[in-house]
Amino acid sequence: QVQLVESGGGVVQPGRSLRLSCAVSGITLSGFAMHWVRQAPGKGLEWVAVISYDGTNKQYAESVKGRFSISRDNSKNMVQLQMDSLSAEDTAVYYCARGVDRNYYGMNVWGQGTRVIVSS
Amino acid sequence: SFELTQPPSVSVSPGQAASITCSGDDLDNKYVCWYQQKPGQSPVLVIYQDVKRPSGIPERFSGSNSGNTATLTISGTQAMDEADYYCQAWDGSTVVFGGGTKLTVL
């Protein structure tokens, strides 16, 4: 059974950093694009970042560009999201999601999410 | 920037067909997918590449994409289908989600 488990969330002060991890079990990460998607309390889904199946291509939402960095380690079946210069607007549940394939046309496996609260 | 627009809410009677629209410029030149999200749960992909159903998704879920509008149709809607639905597309450089539609079955 394919499972994605996010970790690393918590309460952090504005301006500080946090690193989220997504551990994948049940299937290899290789060959699939990996995404981070967030959802602020009571709001809709907001895409954050994607990394290509081989890690060579990374794309970011404008709202996090320059502050967040996505990475992957296919040998460890793990994806990470480094989040710097956090602000209250980054408060959300962060989901790791696997692409349907190496393209960016859908996400068919999602983790349970990890909550990030940015507050002083 | 590319945007996807969905109606905030749609209501349907049990057993009837529900249609949820997603509008965006030149949308039929992009692949659209749809997610279902129930309260307190992670999203679930129900349609991808406009019309494809992932394994395990009931046949009553179908999709279409023409012109500037993509549509998710749920035929024979059941109470368990009550949820938020999001459309999503790739605009060539970023993933875009629609604002979401709350489907109420009453």
Side-chain angles (χ1 to χ4, degrees), chain A residues 18-114:
Chain A
L18 211 56
R19 188 175 186 88
L20 306 183
S21 295
C22 172
V24 181
S25 61
I27 196 169
T28 178
L29 269 187
S30 299
F32 297 93
M34 294 297 297
H35 301 257
W36 286 96
V37 176
R38 68 186 182 183
Q39 188 168 33
K43 302 297 185 183
L45 301 176
E46 180 188 14
W47 175 77
V48 173
V50 65
I51 187 166
S52 61
Y53 70 100
D54 59 359
T56 59
N57 187 31
K58 304 172 186 180
Q59 302 289 348
Y60 300 92
E62 282 298 325
S63 58
V64 306
K65 198 173 291 185
R67 300 187 300 122
F68 289 14
S69 178
I70 189 172
S71 61
R72 67 189 293 161
D73 187 336
N74 286 348
S75 66
K76 295 181 179 179
N77 255 12
M78 183 167 289
V79 179
Q80 293 185 313
L81 185 69
Q82 175 68 37
M83 306 186 297
D84 298 327
S85 302
L86 287 163
S87 69
E89 288 70 37
D90 297 315
T91 293
V93 173
Y94 284 73
Y95 296 100
C96 170
R98 192 196 75 174
V100 171
D101 50 31
R102 63 178 56 185
N103 296 308
Y104 305 149
Y105 302 143
M107 307 166 211
N108 64 343
V109 185
W110 292 66
Q112 84 289 348
T114 185

